Structure formats: structure tokens, C-alpha cells
Amino acid sequence: MVEGRCMKCKAQRVMKDDKEIEIAGKGGTKRRAATGLCEVCGTKMFKFLPKKTV
Ligand SMILES: [Zn+2]
């Protein structure tokens, strides 16, 4: 379960159908992020996830 800020609700919401994705950053780095839908209004949400500590 991932929580993020919904731009429409202007509040912290639980993401529905959340998916973990990787975004290519500068210098060949990859950042983990999650996308999903706001549980309340269905607006698409996006959130960067903390780096994986290996
Ligand atoms: Zn919302």
C-alpha cells in the first residue's frame, strides 16, 4: 500500500491500483516511483519512493 498526495483532494490519500515504476534519471541513474489512482476521487497520483538500500 502506497500513500501519496492527491492534487485534487489536496490531502494525503491511499493509492488504488498502485504500480511501482522506474524512472531514468540523469547520468544513467534510476529512481523508483509509484503511480496509482486516488482512492477517493480517482485522480492519477505519482510519488517518488525512497531509494533502495542495497
Ligand atoms: Zn483525490
Side-chain angles (χ1 to χ4, degrees):
M1 194 182 83
V2 184
E3 278 188 2
R5 191 172 172 81
C6 175
M7 294 299 176
K8 203 170 169 183
C9 298
K10 293 184 170 71
Q12 199 82 0
R13 295 284 189 227
V14 174
M15 280 190 200
K16 207 169 65 178
D17 302 329
D18 58 294
K19 267 184 223 163
E20 197 176 306
I21 57 168
E22 275 188 342
I23 296 166
K26 283 175 191 168
T29 56
K30 278 184 182 169
R31 291 199 67 177
R32 289 168 66 233
T35 61
L37 301 174
C38 172
E39 195 180 49
V40 176
C41 70
T43 295
K44 207 168 183 187
M45 289 164 68
F46 178 89
K47 188 197 180 185
F48 278 114
L49 297 173
K51 274 181 195 168
K52 235 179 236 175
T53 46
V54 181

mmCIF file of all heavy atoms in Angstrom:
data_model
loop_
_atom_site.group_PDB
_atom_site.id
_atom_site.type_symbol
_atom_site.label_atom_id
_atom_site.label_comp_id
_atom_site.label_asym_id
_atom_site.label_seq_id
_atom_site.Cartn_x
_atom_site.Cartn_y
_atom_site.Cartn_z
ATOM 1 N N MET A 1 0.838 -1.198 0.000
ATOM 2 C CA MET A 1 0.000 0.000 0.000
ATOM 3 C C MET A 1 0.873 1.249 0.000
ATOM 4 O O MET A 1 1.805 1.361 0.768
ATOM 5 C CB MET A 1 -0.901 -0.024 1.235
ATOM 6 C CG MET A 1 -2.031 0.986 1.145
ATOM 7 S SD MET A 1 -3.036 0.968 2.646
ATOM 8 C CE MET A 1 -2.048 2.042 3.685
ATOM 9 N N VAL A 2 0.537 2.159 -0.898
ATOM 10 C CA VAL A 2 1.339 3.376 -1.025
ATOM 11 C C VAL A 2 0.445 4.581 -0.766
ATOM 12 O O VAL A 2 -0.688 4.635 -1.229
ATOM 13 C CB VAL A 2 1.962 3.482 -2.432
ATOM 14 C CG1 VAL A 2 2.869 4.695 -2.524
ATOM 15 C CG2 VAL A 2 2.726 2.224 -2.777
ATOM 16 N N GLU A 3 0.979 5.518 -0.037
ATOM 17 C CA GLU A 3 0.247 6.758 0.182
ATOM 18 C C GLU A 3 0.931 7.901 -0.540
ATOM 19 O O GLU A 3 2.143 7.944 -0.641
ATOM 20 C CB GLU A 3 0.182 7.076 1.681
ATOM 21 C CG GLU A 3 -0.911 6.329 2.381
ATOM 22 C CD GLU A 3 -1.083 6.801 3.807
ATOM 23 O OE1 GLU A 3 -0.373 7.729 4.236
ATOM 24 O OE2 GLU A 3 -1.930 6.229 4.506
ATOM 25 N N GLY A 4 0.133 8.788 -1.066
ATOM 26 C CA GLY A 4 0.695 9.945 -1.730
ATOM 27 C C GLY A 4 -0.237 11.117 -1.586
ATOM 28 O O GLY A 4 -1.323 10.998 -1.030
ATOM 29 N N ARG A 5 0.197 12.237 -2.116
ATOM 30 C CA ARG A 5 -0.631 13.424 -2.000
ATOM 31 C C ARG A 5 -1.469 13.577 -3.261
ATOM 32 O O ARG A 5 -0.929 13.613 -4.360
ATOM 33 C CB ARG A 5 0.263 14.654 -1.791
ATOM 34 C CG ARG A 5 -0.545 15.863 -1.403
ATOM 35 C CD ARG A 5 0.361 17.022 -1.010
ATOM 36 N NE ARG A 5 -0.441 18.219 -0.823
ATOM 37 C CZ ARG A 5 -1.122 18.507 0.275
ATOM 38 N NH1 ARG A 5 -1.055 17.682 1.298
ATOM 39 N NH2 ARG A 5 -1.848 19.592 0.362
ATOM 40 N N CYS A 6 -2.762 13.680 -3.082
ATOM 41 C CA CYS A 6 -3.648 13.897 -4.215
ATOM 42 C C CYS A 6 -3.770 15.396 -4.467
ATOM 43 O O CYS A 6 -4.067 16.161 -3.560
ATOM 44 C CB CYS A 6 -5.020 13.293 -3.931
ATOM 45 S SG CYS A 6 -6.209 13.659 -5.235
ATOM 46 N N MET A 7 -3.519 15.777 -5.715
ATOM 47 C CA MET A 7 -3.550 17.198 -6.070
ATOM 48 C C MET A 7 -4.979 17.743 -6.030
ATOM 49 O O MET A 7 -5.191 18.911 -5.792
ATOM 50 C CB MET A 7 -2.973 17.396 -7.475
ATOM 51 C CG MET A 7 -1.498 17.064 -7.574
ATOM 52 S SD MET A 7 -0.537 18.119 -6.478
ATOM 53 C CE MET A 7 1.087 17.426 -6.706
ATOM 54 N N LYS A 8 -5.906 16.878 -6.313
ATOM 55 C CA LYS A 8 -7.298 17.322 -6.384
ATOM 56 C C LYS A 8 -7.913 17.431 -4.993
ATOM 57 O O LYS A 8 -8.564 18.413 -4.670
ATOM 58 C CB LYS A 8 -8.100 16.350 -7.254
ATOM 59 C CG LYS A 8 -9.346 16.976 -7.833
ATOM 60 C CD LYS A 8 -9.942 16.039 -8.861
ATOM 61 C CE LYS A 8 -11.334 16.518 -9.266
ATOM 62 N NZ LYS A 8 -11.957 15.584 -10.206
ATOM 63 N N CYS A 9 -7.678 16.404 -4.177
ATOM 64 C CA CYS A 9 -8.206 16.426 -2.814
ATOM 65 C C CYS A 9 -7.388 17.352 -1.911
ATOM 66 O O CYS A 9 -7.854 17.764 -0.866
ATOM 67 C CB CYS A 9 -8.184 15.026 -2.202
ATOM 68 S SG CYS A 9 -9.190 13.807 -3.062
ATOM 69 N N LYS A 10 -6.172 17.628 -2.350
ATOM 70 C CA LYS A 10 -5.225 18.398 -1.523
ATOM 71 C C LYS A 10 -5.068 17.739 -0.151
ATOM 72 O O LYS A 10 -5.091 18.383 0.889
ATOM 73 C CB LYS A 10 -5.690 19.850 -1.364
ATOM 74 C CG LYS A 10 -5.638 20.618 -2.665
ATOM 75 C CD LYS A 10 -6.010 22.065 -2.434
ATOM 76 C CE LYS A 10 -5.748 22.927 -3.651
ATOM 77 N NZ LYS A 10 -6.701 22.638 -4.732
ATOM 78 N N ALA A 11 -4.930 16.424 -0.202
ATOM 79 C CA ALA A 11 -4.798 15.672 1.035
ATOM 80 C C ALA A 11 -4.023 14.390 0.772
ATOM 81 O O ALA A 11 -3.848 13.981 -0.372
ATOM 82 C CB ALA A 11 -6.166 15.339 1.599
ATOM 83 N N GLN A 12 -3.572 13.784 1.844
ATOM 84 C CA GLN A 12 -2.875 12.512 1.773
ATOM 85 C C GLN A 12 -3.884 11.411 1.515
ATOM 86 O O GLN A 12 -4.875 11.283 2.239
ATOM 87 C CB GLN A 12 -2.138 12.288 3.103
ATOM 88 C CG GLN A 12 -1.052 11.273 3.020
ATOM 89 C CD GLN A 12 0.235 11.871 2.468
ATOM 90 O OE1 GLN A 12 0.313 13.037 2.157
ATOM 91 N NE2 GLN A 12 1.254 11.045 2.355
ATOM 92 N N ARG A 13 -3.644 10.645 0.459
ATOM 93 C CA ARG A 13 -4.589 9.596 0.103
ATOM 94 C C ARG A 13 -3.875 8.276 -0.175
ATOM 95 O O ARG A 13 -2.715 8.263 -0.590
ATOM 96 C CB ARG A 13 -5.354 9.983 -1.163
ATOM 97 C CG ARG A 13 -6.236 11.196 -1.010
ATOM 98 C CD ARG A 13 -7.496 10.864 -0.244
ATOM 99 N NE ARG A 13 -8.438 11.972 -0.270
ATOM 100 C CZ ARG A 13 -9.064 12.428 0.808
ATOM 101 N NH1 ARG A 13 -8.843 11.908 1.986
ATOM 102 N NH2 ARG A 13 -9.928 13.421 0.695
ATOM 103 N N VAL A 14 -4.603 7.207 -0.010
ATOM 104 C CA VAL A 14 -4.088 5.891 -0.365
ATOM 105 C C VAL A 14 -4.238 5.713 -1.874
ATOM 106 O O VAL A 14 -5.242 6.085 -2.457
ATOM 107 C CB VAL A 14 -4.866 4.793 0.378
ATOM 108 C CG1 VAL A 14 -4.445 3.407 -0.099
ATOM 109 C CG2 VAL A 14 -4.656 4.917 1.870
ATOM 110 N N MET A 15 -3.203 5.169 -2.495
ATOM 111 C CA MET A 15 -3.258 4.924 -3.932
ATOM 112 C C MET A 15 -3.960 3.605 -4.228
ATOM 113 O O MET A 15 -3.650 2.566 -3.648
ATOM 114 C CB MET A 15 -1.838 4.835 -4.500
ATOM 115 C CG MET A 15 -1.198 6.163 -4.735
ATOM 116 S SD MET A 15 0.319 5.889 -5.672
ATOM 117 C CE MET A 15 1.168 7.408 -5.293
ATOM 118 N N LYS A 16 -4.862 3.676 -5.189
ATOM 119 C CA LYS A 16 -5.548 2.490 -5.652
ATOM 120 C C LYS A 16 -4.809 1.993 -6.894
ATOM 121 O O LYS A 16 -4.333 2.800 -7.686
ATOM 122 C CB LYS A 16 -6.992 2.881 -6.019
ATOM 123 C CG LYS A 16 -7.980 1.768 -5.899
ATOM 124 C CD LYS A 16 -9.405 2.318 -6.009
ATOM 125 C CE LYS A 16 -9.671 2.904 -7.395
ATOM 126 N NZ LYS A 16 -11.054 3.387 -7.532
ATOM 127 N N ASP A 17 -4.742 0.691 -7.079
ATOM 128 C CA ASP A 17 -4.043 0.113 -8.239
ATOM 129 C C ASP A 17 -2.623 0.656 -8.362
ATOM 130 O O ASP A 17 -2.181 1.012 -9.460
ATOM 131 C CB ASP A 17 -4.806 0.407 -9.543
ATOM 132 C CG ASP A 17 -6.227 -0.125 -9.504
ATOM 133 O OD1 ASP A 17 -6.442 -1.157 -8.837
ATOM 134 O OD2 ASP A 17 -7.104 0.472 -10.145
ATOM 135 N N ASP A 18 -1.943 0.765 -7.243
ATOM 136 C CA ASP A 18 -0.600 1.343 -7.293
ATOM 137 C C ASP A 18 0.373 0.406 -7.990
ATOM 138 O O ASP A 18 0.305 -0.808 -7.871
ATOM 139 C CB ASP A 18 -0.116 1.681 -5.883
ATOM 140 C CG ASP A 18 -0.093 0.469 -4.971
ATOM 141 O OD1 ASP A 18 -1.179 -0.055 -4.681
ATOM 142 O OD2 ASP A 18 1.004 0.034 -4.597
ATOM 143 N N LYS A 19 1.244 1.043 -8.763
ATOM 144 C CA LYS A 19 2.251 0.314 -9.514
ATOM 145 C C LYS A 19 3.600 0.924 -9.227
ATOM 146 O O LYS A 19 3.736 2.144 -9.165
ATOM 147 C CB LYS A 19 1.991 0.471 -11.015
ATOM 148 C CG LYS A 19 1.160 -0.629 -11.604
ATOM 149 C CD LYS A 19 1.060 -0.405 -13.103
ATOM 150 C CE LYS A 19 -0.362 -0.648 -13.578
ATOM 151 N NZ LYS A 19 -0.594 -0.073 -14.902
ATOM 152 N N GLU A 20 4.593 0.053 -9.092
ATOM 153 C CA GLU A 20 5.931 0.575 -8.898
ATOM 154 C C GLU A 20 6.596 0.693 -10.263
ATOM 155 O O GLU A 20 6.569 -0.237 -11.064
ATOM 156 C CB GLU A 20 6.737 -0.353 -7.994
ATOM 157 C CG GLU A 20 7.957 0.335 -7.429
ATOM 158 C CD GLU A 20 8.708 -0.560 -6.452
ATOM 159 O OE1 GLU A 20 8.102 -1.057 -5.507
ATOM 160 O OE2 GLU A 20 9.910 -0.768 -6.680
ATOM 161 N N ILE A 21 7.183 1.836 -10.529
ATOM 162 C CA ILE A 21 7.836 2.066 -11.808
ATOM 163 C C ILE A 21 9.252 2.573 -11.573
ATOM 164 O O ILE A 21 9.600 2.980 -10.464
ATOM 165 C CB ILE A 21 7.054 3.087 -12.674
ATOM 166 C CG1 ILE A 21 6.889 4.407 -11.916
ATOM 167 C CG2 ILE A 21 5.707 2.527 -13.068
ATOM 168 C CD1 ILE A 21 6.401 5.539 -12.789
ATOM 169 N N GLU A 22 10.041 2.539 -12.643
ATOM 170 C CA GLU A 22 11.385 3.098 -12.566
ATOM 171 C C GLU A 22 11.498 4.226 -13.561
ATOM 172 O O GLU A 22 11.080 4.110 -14.709
ATOM 173 C CB GLU A 22 12.423 2.025 -12.886
ATOM 174 C CG GLU A 22 12.794 1.204 -11.685
ATOM 175 C CD GLU A 22 13.962 0.268 -11.961
ATOM 176 O OE1 GLU A 22 14.260 0.010 -13.138
ATOM 177 O OE2 GLU A 22 14.562 -0.195 -10.991
ATOM 178 N N ILE A 23 12.086 5.300 -13.104
ATOM 179 C CA ILE A 23 12.255 6.457 -13.964
ATOM 180 C C ILE A 23 13.742 6.674 -14.194
ATOM 181 O O ILE A 23 14.522 6.681 -13.245
ATOM 182 C CB ILE A 23 11.640 7.700 -13.305
ATOM 183 C CG1 ILE A 23 10.135 7.501 -13.172
ATOM 184 C CG2 ILE A 23 11.942 8.953 -14.106
ATOM 185 C CD1 ILE A 23 9.483 8.488 -12.261
ATOM 186 N N ALA A 24 14.110 6.818 -15.456
ATOM 187 C CA ALA A 24 15.506 7.063 -15.778
ATOM 188 C C ALA A 24 15.862 8.499 -15.430
ATOM 189 O O ALA A 24 15.214 9.437 -15.865
ATOM 190 C CB ALA A 24 15.742 6.807 -17.257
ATOM 191 N N GLY A 25 16.872 8.640 -14.612
ATOM 192 C CA GLY A 25 17.321 9.974 -14.217
ATOM 193 C C GLY A 25 18.577 10.362 -14.956
ATOM 194 O O GLY A 25 18.997 9.692 -15.905
ATOM 195 N N LYS A 26 19.159 11.441 -14.533
ATOM 196 C CA LYS A 26 20.393 11.913 -15.166
ATOM 197 C C LYS A 26 21.555 10.982 -14.848
ATOM 198 O O LYS A 26 21.632 10.422 -13.750
ATOM 199 C CB LYS A 26 20.723 13.318 -14.660
ATOM 200 C CG LYS A 26 19.848 14.366 -15.311
ATOM 201 C CD LYS A 26 20.122 15.738 -14.692
ATOM 202 C CE LYS A 26 19.073 16.734 -15.140
ATOM 203 N NZ LYS A 26 19.134 17.977 -14.368
ATOM 204 N N GLY A 27 22.440 10.844 -15.802
ATOM 205 C CA GLY A 27 23.648 10.045 -15.580
ATOM 206 C C GLY A 27 23.371 8.566 -15.452
ATOM 207 O O GLY A 27 24.110 7.848 -14.786
ATOM 208 N N GLY A 28 22.298 8.090 -16.085
ATOM 209 C CA GLY A 28 22.005 6.663 -16.076
ATOM 210 C C GLY A 28 21.479 6.132 -14.759
ATOM 211 O O GLY A 28 21.391 4.937 -14.561
ATOM 212 N N THR A 29 21.110 7.029 -13.866
ATOM 213 C CA THR A 29 20.561 6.571 -12.596
ATOM 214 C C THR A 29 19.075 6.260 -12.759
ATOM 215 O O THR A 29 18.419 6.773 -13.658
ATOM 216 C CB THR A 29 20.719 7.646 -11.501
ATOM 217 O OG1 THR A 29 20.119 8.852 -11.947
ATOM 218 C CG2 THR A 29 22.188 7.885 -11.196
ATOM 219 N N LYS A 30 18.600 5.432 -11.881
ATOM 220 C CA LYS A 30 17.181 5.110 -11.915
ATOM 221 C C LYS A 30 16.550 5.460 -10.588
ATOM 222 O O LYS A 30 17.122 5.209 -9.537
ATOM 223 C CB LYS A 30 16.994 3.618 -12.211
ATOM 224 C CG LYS A 30 17.082 3.314 -13.672
ATOM 225 C CD LYS A 30 16.788 1.849 -13.916
ATOM 226 C CE LYS A 30 16.931 1.526 -15.399
ATOM 227 N NZ LYS A 30 16.903 0.066 -15.612
ATOM 228 N N ARG A 31 15.373 6.022 -10.671
ATOM 229 C CA ARG A 31 14.648 6.351 -9.454
ATOM 230 C C ARG A 31 13.375 5.532 -9.403
ATOM 231 O O ARG A 31 12.695 5.353 -10.399
ATOM 232 C CB ARG A 31 14.288 7.835 -9.427
ATOM 233 C CG ARG A 31 15.491 8.723 -9.260
ATOM 234 C CD ARG A 31 15.081 10.086 -8.793
ATOM 235 N NE ARG A 31 14.539 10.043 -7.426
ATOM 236 C CZ ARG A 31 14.156 11.136 -6.754
ATOM 237 N NH1 ARG A 31 14.230 12.312 -7.312
ATOM 238 N NH2 ARG A 31 13.700 11.042 -5.534
ATOM 239 N N ARG A 32 13.072 5.056 -8.233
ATOM 240 C CA ARG A 32 11.832 4.306 -8.063
ATOM 241 C C ARG A 32 10.698 5.269 -7.750
ATOM 242 O O ARG A 32 10.868 6.239 -7.026
ATOM 243 C CB ARG A 32 11.981 3.310 -6.911
ATOM 244 C CG ARG A 32 12.906 2.153 -7.250
ATOM 245 C CD ARG A 32 13.243 1.382 -5.997
ATOM 246 N NE ARG A 32 12.072 0.715 -5.450
ATOM 247 C CZ ARG A 32 11.658 0.831 -4.182
ATOM 248 N NH1 ARG A 32 12.318 1.566 -3.347
ATOM 249 N NH2 ARG A 32 10.594 0.204 -3.762
ATOM 250 N N ALA A 33 9.571 4.956 -8.321
ATOM 251 C CA ALA A 33 8.401 5.783 -8.077
ATOM 252 C C ALA A 33 7.167 4.906 -8.123
ATOM 253 O O ALA A 33 7.227 3.753 -8.542
ATOM 254 C CB ALA A 33 8.309 6.883 -9.116
ATOM 255 N N ALA A 34 6.078 5.452 -7.685
ATOM 256 C CA ALA A 34 4.829 4.705 -7.716
ATOM 257 C C ALA A 34 3.744 5.564 -8.349
ATOM 258 O O ALA A 34 3.693 6.776 -8.142
ATOM 259 C CB ALA A 34 4.418 4.305 -6.300
ATOM 260 N N THR A 35 2.905 4.928 -9.139
ATOM 261 C CA THR A 35 1.750 5.621 -9.678
ATOM 262 C C THR A 35 0.495 4.860 -9.275
ATOM 263 O O THR A 35 0.534 3.647 -9.058
ATOM 264 C CB THR A 35 1.787 5.705 -11.213
ATOM 265 O OG1 THR A 35 1.794 4.398 -11.759
ATOM 266 C CG2 THR A 35 3.006 6.463 -11.706
ATOM 267 N N GLY A 36 -0.581 5.566 -9.200
ATOM 268 C CA GLY A 36 -1.836 4.932 -8.842
ATOM 269 C C GLY A 36 -2.961 5.937 -8.936
ATOM 270 O O GLY A 36 -2.769 7.057 -9.397
ATOM 271 N N LEU A 37 -4.109 5.502 -8.493
ATOM 272 C CA LEU A 37 -5.276 6.376 -8.538
ATOM 273 C C LEU A 37 -5.716 6.717 -7.124
ATOM 274 O O LEU A 37 -5.655 5.879 -6.226
ATOM 275 C CB LEU A 37 -6.425 5.679 -9.267
ATOM 276 C CG LEU A 37 -6.144 5.244 -10.711
ATOM 277 C CD1 LEU A 37 -7.330 4.443 -11.240
ATOM 278 C CD2 LEU A 37 -5.864 6.433 -11.607
ATOM 279 N N CYS A 38 -6.167 7.941 -6.971
ATOM 280 C CA CYS A 38 -6.677 8.360 -5.668
ATOM 281 C C CYS A 38 -7.892 7.518 -5.306
ATOM 282 O O CYS A 38 -8.797 7.331 -6.113
ATOM 283 C CB CYS A 38 -7.036 9.844 -5.710
ATOM 284 S SG CYS A 38 -7.890 10.400 -4.231
ATOM 285 N N GLU A 39 -7.865 7.029 -4.099
ATOM 286 C CA GLU A 39 -8.938 6.171 -3.599
ATOM 287 C C GLU A 39 -10.284 6.903 -3.584
ATOM 288 O O GLU A 39 -11.337 6.312 -3.735
ATOM 289 C CB GLU A 39 -8.571 5.765 -2.159
ATOM 290 C CG GLU A 39 -9.352 4.630 -1.590
ATOM 291 C CD GLU A 39 -8.884 4.329 -0.163
ATOM 292 O OE1 GLU A 39 -8.770 5.264 0.642
ATOM 293 O OE2 GLU A 39 -8.600 3.165 0.116
ATOM 294 N N VAL A 40 -10.236 8.190 -3.406
ATOM 295 C CA VAL A 40 -11.463 8.966 -3.221
ATOM 296 C C VAL A 40 -11.986 9.544 -4.543
ATOM 297 O O VAL A 40 -13.145 9.357 -4.898
ATOM 298 C CB VAL A 40 -11.226 10.102 -2.202
ATOM 299 C CG1 VAL A 40 -12.459 10.976 -2.072
ATOM 300 C CG2 VAL A 40 -10.845 9.504 -0.856
ATOM 301 N N CYS A 41 -11.109 10.229 -5.305
ATOM 302 C CA CYS A 41 -11.606 10.930 -6.493
ATOM 303 C C CYS A 41 -11.122 10.304 -7.804
ATOM 304 O O CYS A 41 -11.586 10.674 -8.872
ATOM 305 C CB CYS A 41 -11.217 12.405 -6.433
ATOM 306 S SG CYS A 41 -9.463 12.699 -6.647
ATOM 307 N N GLY A 42 -10.201 9.360 -7.739
ATOM 308 C CA GLY A 42 -9.757 8.672 -8.949
ATOM 309 C C GLY A 42 -8.725 9.415 -9.769
ATOM 310 O O GLY A 42 -8.395 9.000 -10.872
ATOM 311 N N THR A 43 -8.219 10.509 -9.243
ATOM 312 C CA THR A 43 -7.181 11.258 -9.940
ATOM 313 C C THR A 43 -5.869 10.486 -9.911
ATOM 314 O O THR A 43 -5.552 9.827 -8.926
ATOM 315 C CB THR A 43 -6.989 12.640 -9.273
ATOM 316 O OG1 THR A 43 -8.180 13.395 -9.431
ATOM 317 C CG2 THR A 43 -5.823 13.404 -9.887
ATOM 318 N N LYS A 44 -5.132 10.552 -11.002
ATOM 319 C CA LYS A 44 -3.859 9.865 -11.078
ATOM 320 C C LYS A 44 -2.860 10.506 -10.109
ATOM 321 O O LYS A 44 -2.747 11.721 -10.050
ATOM 322 C CB LYS A 44 -3.312 9.951 -12.502
ATOM 323 C CG LYS A 44 -2.411 8.797 -12.831
ATOM 324 C CD LYS A 44 -2.115 8.753 -14.323
ATOM 325 C CE LYS A 44 -1.259 7.549 -14.643
ATOM 326 N NZ LYS A 44 -0.813 7.547 -16.031
ATOM 327 N N MET A 45 -2.186 9.628 -9.375
ATOM 328 C CA MET A 45 -1.221 10.130 -8.397
ATOM 329 C C MET A 45 0.158 9.586 -8.714
ATOM 330 O O MET A 45 0.321 8.552 -9.341
ATOM 331 C CB MET A 45 -1.629 9.671 -6.992
ATOM 332 C CG MET A 45 -2.868 10.371 -6.490
ATOM 333 S SD MET A 45 -3.565 9.498 -5.088
ATOM 334 C CE MET A 45 -2.304 9.766 -3.863
ATOM 335 N N PHE A 46 1.138 10.319 -8.252
ATOM 336 C CA PHE A 46 2.523 9.962 -8.524
ATOM 337 C C PHE A 46 3.354 10.265 -7.287
ATOM 338 O O PHE A 46 3.167 11.289 -6.646
ATOM 339 C CB PHE A 46 3.014 10.792 -9.709
ATOM 340 C CG PHE A 46 4.448 10.547 -10.056
ATOM 341 C CD1 PHE A 46 4.785 9.536 -10.948
ATOM 342 C CD2 PHE A 46 5.450 11.312 -9.500
ATOM 343 C CE1 PHE A 46 6.110 9.296 -11.272
ATOM 344 C CE2 PHE A 46 6.778 11.079 -9.814
ATOM 345 C CZ PHE A 46 7.101 10.069 -10.712
ATOM 346 N N LYS A 47 4.273 9.360 -6.994
ATOM 347 C CA LYS A 47 5.108 9.596 -5.827
ATOM 348 C C LYS A 47 6.468 8.949 -6.006
ATOM 349 O O LYS A 47 6.568 7.804 -6.458
ATOM 350 C CB LYS A 47 4.413 9.007 -4.596
ATOM 351 C CG LYS A 47 5.085 9.367 -3.305
ATOM 352 C CD LYS A 47 4.627 8.438 -2.203
ATOM 353 C CE LYS A 47 5.304 8.803 -0.884
ATOM 354 N NZ LYS A 47 4.975 7.848 0.165
ATOM 355 N N PHE A 48 7.486 9.680 -5.648
ATOM 356 C CA PHE A 48 8.823 9.089 -5.645
ATOM 357 C C PHE A 48 8.979 8.228 -4.400
ATOM 358 O O PHE A 48 8.538 8.597 -3.315
ATOM 359 C CB PHE A 48 9.901 10.184 -5.621
ATOM 360 C CG PHE A 48 10.182 10.746 -6.968
ATOM 361 C CD1 PHE A 48 9.876 12.068 -7.263
ATOM 362 C CD2 PHE A 48 10.751 9.964 -7.956
ATOM 363 C CE1 PHE A 48 10.132 12.589 -8.521
ATOM 364 C CE2 PHE A 48 11.013 10.476 -9.221
ATOM 365 C CZ PHE A 48 10.697 11.804 -9.489
ATOM 366 N N LEU A 49 9.588 7.075 -4.578
ATOM 367 C CA LEU A 49 9.829 6.192 -3.454
ATOM 368 C C LEU A 49 11.272 6.359 -2.984
ATOM 369 O O LEU A 49 12.140 6.715 -3.767
ATOM 370 C CB LEU A 49 9.597 4.741 -3.865
ATOM 371 C CG LEU A 49 8.164 4.400 -4.293
ATOM 372 C CD1 LEU A 49 8.120 2.979 -4.840
ATOM 373 C CD2 LEU A 49 7.200 4.568 -3.153
ATOM 374 N N PRO A 50 11.495 6.087 -1.717
ATOM 375 C CA PRO A 50 12.866 6.174 -1.225
ATOM 376 C C PRO A 50 13.774 5.177 -1.908
ATOM 377 O O PRO A 50 13.324 4.122 -2.363
ATOM 378 C CB PRO A 50 12.739 5.872 0.271
ATOM 379 C CG PRO A 50 11.397 5.292 0.460
ATOM 380 C CD PRO A 50 10.538 5.723 -0.681
ATOM 381 N N LYS A 51 15.027 5.546 -2.012
ATOM 382 C CA LYS A 51 15.999 4.681 -2.675
ATOM 383 C C LYS A 51 16.136 3.359 -1.953
ATOM 384 O O LYS A 51 16.095 3.289 -0.742
ATOM 385 C CB LYS A 51 17.376 5.372 -2.673
ATOM 386 C CG LYS A 51 17.558 6.299 -3.838
ATOM 387 C CD LYS A 51 18.946 6.919 -3.772
ATOM 388 C CE LYS A 51 19.026 8.121 -4.691
ATOM 389 N NZ LYS A 51 20.251 8.895 -4.441
ATOM 390 N N LYS A 52 16.322 2.332 -2.772
ATOM 391 C CA LYS A 52 16.551 1.013 -2.218
ATOM 392 C C LYS A 52 17.953 0.987 -1.636
ATOM 393 O O LYS A 52 18.911 1.338 -2.291
ATOM 394 C CB LYS A 52 16.454 -0.017 -3.332
ATOM 395 C CG LYS A 52 15.459 -1.116 -3.044
ATOM 396 C CD LYS A 52 15.410 -2.081 -4.216
ATOM 397 C CE LYS A 52 13.997 -2.194 -4.731
ATOM 398 N NZ LYS A 52 13.915 -3.011 -5.937
ATOM 399 N N THR A 53 18.056 0.562 -0.421
ATOM 400 C CA THR A 53 19.395 0.438 0.176
ATOM 401 C C THR A 53 19.873 -0.990 -0.026
ATOM 402 O O THR A 53 19.274 -1.929 0.479
ATOM 403 C CB THR A 53 19.378 0.815 1.656
ATOM 404 O OG1 THR A 53 18.275 0.168 2.264
ATOM 405 C CG2 THR A 53 19.247 2.314 1.842
ATOM 406 N N VAL A 54 20.917 -1.105 -0.773
ATOM 407 C CA VAL A 54 21.435 -2.428 -1.112
ATOM 408 C C VAL A 54 22.492 -2.825 -0.087
ATOM 409 O O VAL A 54 23.412 -2.086 0.148
ATOM 410 C CB VAL A 54 22.035 -2.462 -2.525
ATOM 411 C CG1 VAL A 54 22.541 -3.865 -2.848
ATOM 412 C CG2 VAL A 54 21.008 -2.022 -3.537
HETATM 413 ZN ZN ZN B 1 -8.208 12.673 -4.695
#
